Amino acid sequence: MNIVVISASTRLNRVSHRVALFLEKTLAAAGHEVQLLDLAEYQFPIMEEVLHRHPNPPEGLERFAMLVRQADAAVFVSPEYNGSYTAALKNAVDYLKEGEFARKVVGVVSATTGPLGGMRAAMNMQELVLGVSGFALPQMLLVGNLPQRFDEAGNLIDPAFEKSINNFLNNFLWLAEAVVAKKETVGV
Ligand SMILES: Cc1cc2nc3c(=O)[nH]c(=O)nc-3n(C[C@H](O)[C@H](O)[C@H](O)COP(=O)(O)O)c2cc1C
């Protein structure tokens, strides 16, 4: 499958990006084509107009939209900020044309440096996915105590966490592949 991983933290010295790097590597190793869409690299300004009506789209936005459009499935990776996901993620998604995530499975991953892992960010991301007509994966990956679990290069350093990751990824790939197979038989 063609999978986009959207890394939603734009903060200097961010740590949640480590999880996005890990997922990029792990999904690619499983034979998928993975695009890591890093919102810190895109630096989209606050949305003034949606992309398809924008007279002068911000740099990189058309490519970002194209990569989302081409994807079979997506993973959102965000830290929890004040009980939700990042404003950068909402901003990027709001730019896109209705339907870019429609009938695509989107798995949500939230991350915190504290122990809780960001359940509220994850639940709010699931609502966002529903808002753009995506299939929100019921299972979520909550990464608490992040610096103790992943190093800066996105390597897992806590083997005990592998079971949670595998559970999330197995469910994500199962559902995403089922949706892709359905599209192959009956069309999008
Ligand atoms: C603006 C802001 C709000 C935060 N709110 C929460 C929160 O609601 N719950 C939580 O567990 N951690 C919260 N944190 C702590 C983050 O989990 C921690 O800073 C984490 O490193 C953020 O991810 P990042 O490094 O990728 O930006 C907050 C941090 C920031 C900067």
Side-chain angles (χ1 to χ4, degrees):
M1 283 188 300
N2 182 341
I3 299 168
V4 289
V5 175
I6 301 184
S7 185
S9 177
T10 55
R11 194 176 67 82
L12 305 175
N13 303 315
R14 64 189 175 163
V15 292
S16 64
H17 190 63
R18 299 178 186 189
V19 187
L21 291 172
F22 172 83
L23 292 172
E24 178 193 27
K25 281 190 278 193
T26 305
L27 288 167
H32 300 284
E33 214 170 284
V34 187
Q35 296 283 344
L36 178 57
L37 306 184
D38 180 0
L39 297 185
E41 277 180 21
Y42 282 105
Q43 290 285 336
F44 297 134
I46 294 289
M47 202 268 291
E48 294 178 303
E49 181 53 287
V50 294
L51 173 60
H52 66 283
R53 285 199 289 266
H54 206 301
N56 182 23
E59 199 185 332
L61 183 59
E62 276 164 333
R63 180 170 161 76
F64 176 83
M66 185 198 73
L67 292 171
V68 170
R69 191 174 314 127
Q70 287 176 349
D72 297 308
V75 181
F76 292 172
V77 180
S78 177
E80 182 167 277
Y81 287 168
N82 299 321
S84 191
Y85 54 85
T86 67
L89 177 61
K90 184 67 163 55
N91 190 52
V93 171
D94 286 348
Y95 268 116
L96 301 179
K97 197 167 187 170
E98 206 188 322
E100 301 289 34
F101 289 102
R103 292 192 171 177
K104 291 179 187 175
V105 173
V106 183
V108 302
V109 179
S110 65
T112 59
T113 46
L116 299 179
M119 165 70 83
R120 295 172 297 173
M123 292 186 77
N124 286 330
M125 278 190 277
Q126 288 178 327
E127 285 194 355
L128 174 64
V129 174
L130 300 178
V132 292
S133 302
F135 296 138
L137 185 74
Q139 294 79 14
M140 51 180 67
L141 181 63
L142 306 179
V143 188
N145 298 321
L146 192 148
Q148 288 91 64
R149 290 190 160 142
F150 294 91
D151 69 14
E152 281 180 24
N155 298 307
L156 182 67
I157 51 176
D158 175 9
F161 196 56
E162 205 167 357
K163 196 174 161 197
S164 302
I165 296 165
N166 289 343
N167 181 48
F168 170 76
L169 285 179
N170 288 342
N171 280 298
F172 170 71
L173 293 172
W174 188 93
L175 190 59
E177 278 165 0
V179 169
V180 168
K182 181 73 176 172
K183 287 174 181 166
E184 278 163 10
T185 53
V186 299
V188 178

